[in-house]
Amino acid sequence: LLVSLLLAGQPHRPAERTERTGIAPAVVRRAEAWIEAHAAGPVRLDDIAAAAGVPVRTLQDGFRRFRGVSPMQVVRRHRLDHARRRLLAGEGERIADIALECGFAHLGRFSQVYRAQFGETPSETQRHQTARVR
């Protein structure tokens, strides 16, 4: 009876207690700023956590609660956005060079995640941009 009374006032699933809000804590904002500055290079979760001044689990929890994604997903999104901006700039750079400079070491995987994010392959983006310029 005592246990039932104690549990009656508590949510049974941790997800019921957490909600995403638009205002992220300083830890998440510091981590995002660091990611923006370093995304093209080799990035480890430990590096992001150290830059934010928190343990890895705290960092992951903050991103999950306030951004709905993991810190490494933010890194990938930033890299993809940067690659897309360069492809749309239409400066005739090779796609492989852009991918490598944006932090993607595996070119096939780059193409897959790019297509999943933007609905077209990097070469299609570049081809459309080249056609617009002419």
Side-chain angles (χ1 to χ4, degrees):
L1 178 63
L2 181 59
V3 171
S4 297
L5 289 173
L6 288 172
L7 291 175
Q10 300 295 317
H12 296 287
R13 289 178 284 167
E16 293 177 12
R17 286 187 257 170
T18 61
E19 293 181 17
R20 276 188 229 148
T21 64
I23 302 172
V27 167
V28 172
R29 292 191 314 271
R30 278 194 309 268
E32 288 171 330
W34 189 89
I35 288 168
E36 186 172 334
H38 298 89
V43 175
R44 295 178 333 162
L45 195 54
D46 292 340
D47 299 330
I48 302 168
V54 295
V56 169
R57 292 189 73 153
T58 301
L59 179 72
Q60 290 173 316
D61 182 55
F63 271 82
R64 186 180 68 251
R65 289 181 63 209
F66 294 96
R67 296 297 186 238
V69 294
S70 73
M72 295 311 287
Q73 286 172 308
V74 173
V75 171
R76 178 181 284 171
R77 282 184 188 169
H78 183 78
R79 288 174 173 175
L80 285 169
D81 290 340
H82 185 65
R84 184 168 180 85
R85 283 191 304 272
R86 292 194 49 196
L87 288 167
L88 290 172
E91 297 176 4
E93 291 181 87
R94 291 184 34 212
I95 293 171
D97 293 337
I98 292 172
L100 292 170
E101 289 172 18
C102 290
F104 291 96
H106 191 286
L107 302 179
R109 185 73 182 132
F110 165 69
S111 185
Q112 288 175 339
V113 296
Y114 186 95
R115 184 178 188 145
Q117 180 73 25
F118 300 113
E120 63 183 7
T121 64
S123 59
E124 290 171 335
T125 300
Q126 194 173 49
R127 191 171 28 252
H128 296 311
Q129 182 58 28
T130 303
R132 278 187 232 148
V133 172
R134 292 180 186 189

